[in-house]
Structures are given as C-alpha cells and as structure tokens.
Amino acid sequence: MNFQNYRLEPNPNSPGDWIVFGDICDDAGNILGTFGENGTSVFGWWVLQDAQFQQNYSNQFAVIMAQEIVAGTAE
Amino acid sequence: MATYYLSTSTGSDTYNGLSATYTSGSTGPWKTLSKALGAAGMASGDILYVAPGNYNESVTIGFAPSAATQIIGDPNSQFFGGVTAGPVLISAFNAAGTSETVTSTLIIAASRSYFEWSNLYFKVSTGRAVSATNARYWKFTNCVLDCNTRASPVGVINLSSASGVALDATITRCRFAGGRYLLQLTGQNVSETTSITSCVFESAEEGIDINNLQVFVTNCSFISCDWAIYQRSGSVSFPSSVRNCLFLRCTQVQVTTTGQLTENFNRWTTATRNNIGTLGANSTTGGDGGIDSGYLLQTNGNYLQTYTPNLSSPNIAFGTATSSPATDLYGVTWSGASPDAGGITYRVITSLPSQVAYNGGIERNASTITIAPGSTSQSIEIYLGATGLTASTSGLSARYNRTRTASVSIPLVARTIAQAWTAGGFAEVDATNMPGVYRLDLPDAALAAGADDVTIVVRGASGTNGAVMTVKLSSGGLTEAQTAGAVWNAVRSSYATAGTFGEYVNTNVNTGAIADAVWDEARSGHTTAGTFGEYVNAELVTPVTSAALVRMGPFEVRADGLGASDPLDIQKGAQHGIDIQCVDNNGAGIDITSATVTAKVYNSGATLVDTYACTATYAADGRATFTIDTTVTNVPGTYTATITRSTSANDTQVFGPLRIYVRDI
C-alpha cells in the first residue's frame, strides 16, 4: 500500500487528536481511496470501530504507553 | 602514524599502549578506552587494536583527527597473547551482563571527524552507543549495534554534521538490533556521499532516521521495524536513494515530502510507503519474505547464515549491480548473477570463516597440520582472504623455517589448481566458492626428516596480512596406505618382544610355526566327529593298523615259475598279511622248517620294490605268512612277488611269481 500526499496535522478542534491527510494508492500510483479533503480524525475514526478492534490495538498501545511511563520520555 | 593496543584484561593505563603484551618497563597495552581515546592517548592517523573483553565505559573523545583514525577490534585475539578470543564489547552492561552500569552514551564526540570503527560489538539499553556532533567522515565496518529495548535510545548511533558541511559517513556490513531509532543521521541538505551498505536493521521503532541528509541505502535488510526508514526534513535537490533492499515485517517507510527519497529494486512485501510516490519499475510488493530464520538449522538441513535467503527465495538476484556492493554483510559474494534484495545472501556454512577485517586486510590465526617427515610433493591450502592473488602478485612472498633454523625462501611458481605439484607452486583454489583460499606446493626440503616442525608464511600482498601455517613433522601424519605399508613391510623378526603382537605373530602365525603346529600335533587329540582329524584317524590310520586282521590266502606259490596261483587285489595304501604255501609241481607242500623264507616284490618294471621276511605258520607243509606294507601299496600298479626258500647257500628255491594288483578301489 502506498500513500501519496500523506501528512498528519493536529486537530485544532480536539487537542490530542490528529488528522490524517492523503491518498491511498496502489503500486502504480493509482488512487484507491483517500482520507478526504479535510482529512480523517484519528479519534473520530477510532470510536467508529468495533469493540474487538479497539481492544486489540489498545493492548498493543498499552505496551508503548508503559515504555513511555517508565522512560519518562516521548519523541 | 602509530599503532596502539588496548586490553581490558591484561593492560594498564600506566603503560604506553605500544605493545599488545607487556614486555618490560612501561611497554604494554592500555587498559581503558578512556585512556586510548582521551587527550593523552592515541592521535590523528593512529591505529588502535582492541583486545577481546568488555569495555564498560562512557568515553568523551579528547582529540580531533584530521586523517583516518582507526579503532579496530581483534576478536580473534591475534595480537594479544594470553587473551582468549571473544567479542570486543563496548558495553553499557557489566561483564556478567546482569546490570546496566552505564546509562549515558558510550562514545561521545563533538567536532571529531575521521573516526573509523570496525569489528566492535556495542551493547546499550538506555544510552546511545555513539553520538558524534559536528562530525564528518565517520565509518563503521563490520560492527554490531545491539540494544535490549525498543523504547530507547533515540539513535543507537547518532551522527550529525556541522552547519553547511556534508556528513559523508560510511556504514558498511553492520547489524543493528533493538532501540528506538537505530541509526539517526542529520545533515545539512548538501550533496553527500553518506552510504549505508549491506546492513541489517531489525526490531526497532525506526531503522534509519534521516534529517536534512542525502543518504544512499543499498542492499540492506529491514526486519520488524515500525518505520524502516523515516526521511524527515530534507531537500528534493539532494534526494536519498534506496536500492536492493528488503523490507520484512515492517509497518512502513515514511517520507515527509514526495521526491526526498527515490527507490528501485526493492522488495517491500507488506510495508506501506508514505509519500514515496510510484514504485520504481523493478520494485515489488507482497510475496514471501524469503529468508530463513533457522528452519533449516532446526531440521538439520543446512547450516546457513542468519537471515539467509531460502534457496528459491525471490530475494536472490533481485537487485541491480549498478552502484551496489559485490558482497553481503558477511563479505560473501552474492549467490546469484546480481545482488540480492537485502543485506545477506544465501550461503551454507560448514566452517564459517572469520569476517574480521584488519585495516583492510584479513589475517588468519596460525594453524597446524601434520605431515609425515620425509614426505615429498606435498601441497597445503592456506587462507589469505583476498582473491585474485597469483605467484607474480606484487609483494607476495613465501618462506619456511624448520625448528631452530633460519628461514628459507619459497620462490612462487604460477600454477592452476589442477596442475601437478612443483616446488613453490601457487594456485587460487576457487575464487567464487572458496574465496581467499590458495594452494601452496611445499619444497621437499621443508618436510625432510630431522626437524620437529616447519612453519610456512605467505605474506606481503595488498589486501591480505598473510597466512601462517605450522606443519608438524610426525608419522602421525601417515596416509592410510603409508600406515599399511609401514606395518606389513616391516621385518617380522625385528618385532618379537615378549608380550607384543609381534611376538605372537612370530610364534604362532609365521609359515614354519603353522606347519609345525599342524604336523607335530598329536593325532589322538583331534578326533572330533566331522573334522578332518576324525577322517585321518578313521580312514587313513585305523585301516592300516587293523590291516593285520585281514587275511588272504592261502595262495599256492609254485616253484615252477608259472604263476599258476590267482592274483591278489590289494587296496592302495593298505597293509595286508598274506598267507602263502610253497608247493612242488604236484601241489605238495615243501618243508620250510629251518629255512629262511623271504618274499620279494617287483613292480611292473621288474625293479625290486621291497623284501619281506616270511614267518612259518606250518613249516612242514610249506605254509608261511608275510605282511605287505605301504612301501608297495602306496603306488597303485601291477606287482609280482616271488618267495625264496633258502636253507644254505647251496639250497635255494624260488617259488612264484605271485601276481599282485594294487588299486585305488
């Protein structure tokens, strides 16, 4: 999968949220989909997913959270 | 330019560092990196060889080189007598590996350039392995950068150049594992030569983190990285290049602005590319990762390099040879016609040669083989590392020396590998499949009897620091055929020491002993049923002794010489008692009382074979008996017997003849 015009921007209306911009392309550069002209909010997209999906990724995120808590750093 | 030595186990910072082992006074190796890299240690252009051991230090480099300055690990402990071969660790952990005793950066440099590191094993957790700011011309070759976490540090190696100046770093044949960012490079958006070649990056949040830098990434494997490459800020005027790389189990490659990074000949498998744009014409996505993670080792199929491609892997020969390395991370030539995708090519390992490079050359520890003294036309194989050497390569020479004698030159003679031996013959074995190995034909004089061993040295050519091999002159080196010849051709009589195998052979096995043992053996002791001994006793001996029981006759042996009596049939080899009667022409018995009666037996050639004395049984009636024995009966044929009756010189009569047939019935 290839992203084109990809960028992340903070959501000015929701502190802590990020908006994903860009086109989703195939290997030849043909656009298969897009994050939308105004981008897609991570928070907004997240809450639309089912509970099982959210649980799976929260499990993974917990590890990263734990590392940051212990290290006291963030990049 | 000076050469210094560092040994944590045998050195002292009070020494001068100019010798790998302590000799006298202050001549000996240094002990700490802090001493060697500090202001009072080595200087620009120097070489520092580092002994195996754990250098558990954080060092701030105290001098600013203006020329290549090398820190070279010696894991084979080639230079350091008394130090066991092993990793040359620059580590945040204590020697036992149980505690992170250094949490700050291990090697710290500010405004230091021209540092070249090789054969070193960096281990970190919290802090960086190397941090160099305002740096240029740094090189890492054949090093391992190992971090035990993915949470830190931000840049196991962190290099950044001074304002407006290129970084021009070279990272070759290194392995990176663990860490938040493995390699963090920062430049100045200027034209660069910075390259990363034949490396492996695995298990990190970011593999290569690039900032305002043009970098050429070639033949690298990225395994299990969230961001295999992250090109942050940068200039499309000086784009980075990624070629011949393999991305496996990586989430993505991030480019901030399309055009900052170009790519082709890469296998992306499942990694997402962000802002890279249209894939290069020779890049692919999806498909098998194509590397062996130990399956063949586990199943005893083959012993392979780590992360080697499977035999039918799509990685093999996937890449382009243009601007690409000739060898992989291990210095092994690509197995296919062109470079693979990734940093490691296919190779079966039976005996892994060392990949340690010393100052551009490859040296081998001395090794020993055994050859029988006095052997002739012997060739040995030596490892010189470099390929393409010939008998006429500039500087290449060979010498040998026998125990406690001066060295002798071996003039080299060009040979191909299949040509016959000639003294000094020199041939490359197989540059492709056995690179660096050469045949050397030893002069016969080198192996002549009279020395304990002979040491051979081949050295002097560019690209190799030579090879040393000691040949132990011992009959232990006899070939199977030579050993057999030595045993079977030995004089038997010289090996008759009591209790030895030789004595046994002399006593019991030699030809005469066997004959004696058989013919002198008591016959009566060998009568077991079914054996040859039983046959001899029963069929050859017994019938003869019992032949006395056989009676034949009486036969008339007339004195008229007409042979009127019937012939006798006697079995060959038998002994028979024969009763005879001497009669006159009327058939009346002739008195043989007091007469000497003998039987004379003639063969068909009228030759007297034997004479037997007859014993009277009824003398008045002319009856007597004699026993014919094997003197006659051993030879089948027709015999005649005459009976002579004599009482005096004037009274002799001859009766017979009596015909006797000896047959093999």
Side-chain angles (χ1 to χ4, degrees):
Chain A
M1 187 175 291
N2 200 349
F3 293 163
Q4 196 63 17
N5 304 314
Y6 176 85
R7 72 182 193 277
L8 275 177
E9 292 184 2
N11 187 342
N13 302 316
S14 177
D17 188 19
W18 293 79
I19 300 177
V20 184
F21 294 87
D23 303 321
I24 305 167
C25 305
D26 63 13
D27 296 340
N30 300 313
I31 296 176
L32 303 175
T34 175
F35 286 103
E37 185 177 350
N38 297 318
T40 299
S41 159
V42 172
F43 283 0
W45 183 84
W46 174 261
V47 298
L48 294 177
Q49 307 310 306
D50 62 46
Q52 183 66 51
F53 179 93
Q54 292 178 355
Q55 184 185 30
N56 286 342
Y57 281 90
S58 293
N59 268 335
Q60 297 179 39
F61 195 57
V63 176
I64 299 172
M65 291 168 65
Q67 291 174 345
E68 297 303 316
I69 291 168
V70 172
T73 59
E75 183 66 20
Chain B
M1 183 190 83
T3 299
Y4 291 101
Y5 301 89
L6 173 64
S7 172
T8 186
S9 60
T10 59
S12 169
D13 287 344
T14 63
Y15 296 159
N16 59 16
L18 291 173
S19 173
T21 55
Y22 176 75
T23 54
S24 63
S26 62
T27 302
W30 287 324
K31 184 176 183 65
T32 66
L33 277 169
S34 298
K35 171 66 178 179
L37 299 177
M42 63 191 299
S44 175
D46 291 345
I47 296 174
L48 175 70
Y49 287 105
V50 188
N54 188 49
Y55 298 85
N56 185 210
E57 306 172 53
S58 174
V59 180
T60 299
I61 294 178
F63 64 103
S66 56
T69 302
Q70 301 178 69
I71 295 89
I72 304 173
D74 179 21
N76 293 334
S77 196
Q78 174 169 325
F79 298 107
F80 298 90
V83 179
T84 304
V88 183
L89 291 164
I90 298 177
S91 175
F93 300 98
N94 60 358
T98 55
S99 175
E100 182 190 9
T101 54
V102 178
T103 57
S104 55
T105 299
L106 299 179
I107 305 294
I108 303 168
S111 300
R112 311 297 191 216
S113 299
Y114 297 104
F115 274 97
E116 299 182 2
W117 310 76
S118 55
N119 309 336
L120 300 167
Y121 195 155
F122 294 88
K123 281 179 176 283
V124 294
S125 181
T126 304
R128 289 168 166 151
V130 177
S131 177
T133 57
N134 295 339
R136 195 175 187 184
Y137 302 126
W138 280 57
K139 289 185 179 179
F140 291 87
T141 305
N142 206 37
C143 290
V144 174
L145 289 301
D146 178 60
C147 181
N148 73 345
T149 175
R150 285 169 55 124
S152 61
V154 179
V156 175
I157 289 180
N158 179 288
L159 303 177
S160 63
S161 62
S163 177
V165 178
L167 182 62
D168 291 332
T170 305
I171 318 290
T172 308
R173 295 169 55 203
C174 291
R175 297 184 73 113
F176 295 78
R180 189 157 187 175
Y181 298 179
L182 290 171
L183 185 56
Q184 187 177 40
L185 304 174
T186 302
Q188 300 293 326
N189 283 334
V190 296
S191 179
E192 284 276 351
T193 63
T194 294
S195 64
I196 305 169
T197 308
S198 297
C199 293
V200 172
F201 298 85
E202 60 179 310
S203 301
E205 184 176 311
E206 283 188 28
I208 306 174
D209 186 83
I210 306 169
N211 304 271
N212 297 324
L213 181 74
Q214 180 183 38
V215 57
F216 301 91
V217 182
T218 311
N219 280 105
C220 291
S221 295
F222 297 86
I223 301 168
S224 301
C225 296
D226 293 342
W227 282 269
I229 298 173
Y230 201 142
Q231 175 99 38
R232 296 177 185 269
S233 54
S235 169
V236 296
S237 298
F238 303 105
S240 294
S241 166
V242 178
R243 297 163 74 87
N244 296 357
C245 291
L246 170 67
F247 297 85
L248 176 62
R249 306 186 198 107
C250 295
T251 305
Q252 58 195 314
V253 169
Q254 182 81 45
V255 176
T256 301
T257 303
T258 302
Q260 289 175 328
L261 184 148
T262 64
E263 71 82 34
N264 203 355
F265 293 95
N266 299 302
R267 292 200 66 232
W268 294 97
T269 64
T270 60
T272 296
R273 288 84 55 202
N274 302 339
N275 289 341
I276 283 183
T278 303
L279 283 186
N282 302 101
S283 290
T284 64
T285 60
D288 179 20
I291 60 175
D292 182 89
S293 298
Y295 169 78
L296 288 174
L297 179 64
Q298 190 173 349
T299 56
N300 296 320
N302 277 314
Y303 301 95
L304 303 171
Q305 305 189 131
T306 54
Y307 293 143
T308 196
N310 300 317
L311 249 185
S312 57
S313 169
N315 299 332
I316 294 176
F318 182 87
T320 174
T322 303
S323 302
S324 299
T327 61
D328 74 349
L329 183 146
Y330 297 106
V332 176
T333 303
W334 303 108
S335 64
S338 58
D340 294 354
I344 298 174
T345 195
Y346 177 82
R347 180 172 58 149
V348 176
I349 301 170
T350 51
S351 178
L352 180 64
S354 170
Q355 301 303 313
V356 175
Y358 293 95
N359 198 17
I362 297 176
E363 299 186 5
R364 311 299 302 169
N365 282 336
S367 56
T368 301
I369 62 173
T370 300
I371 296 177
S375 297
T376 58
S377 304
Q378 296 292 304
S379 299
I380 60 174
E381 278 67 46
I382 54 176
Y383 185 78
L384 292 170
T387 57
L389 301 178
T390 69
S392 57
T393 295
S394 177
L396 188 66
S397 66
R399 301 187 75 84
Y400 73 85
N401 93 296
R402 291 157 60 80
T403 310
R404 294 182 292 279
T405 60
S407 69
V408 178
S409 174
I410 306 175
L412 295 177
V413 179
R415 295 270 94 177
T416 61
I417 189 60
Q419 282 185 304
W421 173 93
T422 188
F426 184 80
E428 188 167 24
V429 174
D430 183 339
T432 301
N433 300 307
M434 294 179 67
V437 179
Y438 294 83
R439 173 190 121 190
L440 175 64
D441 297 342
L442 299 180
D444 290 345
L447 304 176
D452 296 332
D453 55 52
V454 56
T455 296
I456 297 100
V457 175
V458 181
R459 58 178 292 278
S462 176
T464 176
N465 284 345
V468 179
M469 179 174 285
T470 296
V471 176
K472 182 178 175 60
L473 296 174
S474 167
S475 57
L478 287 178
T479 65
E480 183 178 355
Q482 288 171 327
T483 302
V487 172
W488 293 113
N489 296 333
V491 177
R492 175 172 50 79
S493 59
S494 300
Y495 297 91
T497 304
T500 67
F501 187 71
E503 180 207 31
Y504 176 83
V505 170
N506 276 284
T507 304
N508 299 307
V509 180
N510 78 75
T511 306
I514 293 173
D516 290 347
V518 172
W519 294 112
D520 296 344
E521 188 68 5
R523 178 171 48 77
S524 60
H526 299 275
T527 59
T528 304
T531 67
F532 187 71
E534 180 206 33
Y535 173 80
V536 170
N537 277 281
E539 302 298 332
L540 299 182
V541 178
T542 305
V544 171
T545 55
S546 62
L549 302 176
V550 177
R551 310 300 297 182
M552 301 180 73
F555 298 96
E556 291 182 345
V557 184
R558 297 178 185 272
D560 58 2
L562 298 179
S565 189
D566 291 335
L568 285 73
D569 271 333
I570 298 177
Q571 182 169 348
K572 175 189 173 186
Q575 185 173 353
H576 273 283
I578 299 175
D579 294 342
I580 51 99
Q581 183 183 24
C582 298
V583 298
D584 61 18
N585 286 339
N586 299 316
I590 303 296
D591 187 0
I592 57 174
T593 302
S594 301
T596 299
V597 180
T598 57
K600 294 184 177 179
V601 180
Y602 300 85
N603 62 18
S604 57
T607 300
L608 177 64
V609 178
D610 204 356
T611 301
Y612 303 97
C614 297
T615 304
T617 54
Y618 184 11
D621 198 27
R623 297 177 188 274
T625 186
F626 71 93
T627 300
I628 192 167
D629 61 19
T630 55
T631 302
V632 173
T633 62
N634 269 352
V635 180
T638 301
Y639 296 86
T640 54
T642 57
I643 308 299
T644 302
R645 170 189 175 282
S646 176
T647 56
S648 68
N650 301 319
D651 181 19
T652 297
Q653 297 86 39
V654 178
F655 301 85
L658 173 65
R659 186 63 52 84
I660 301 172
Y661 299 134
V662 175
R663 311 180 194 221
D664 191 3
I665 301 170

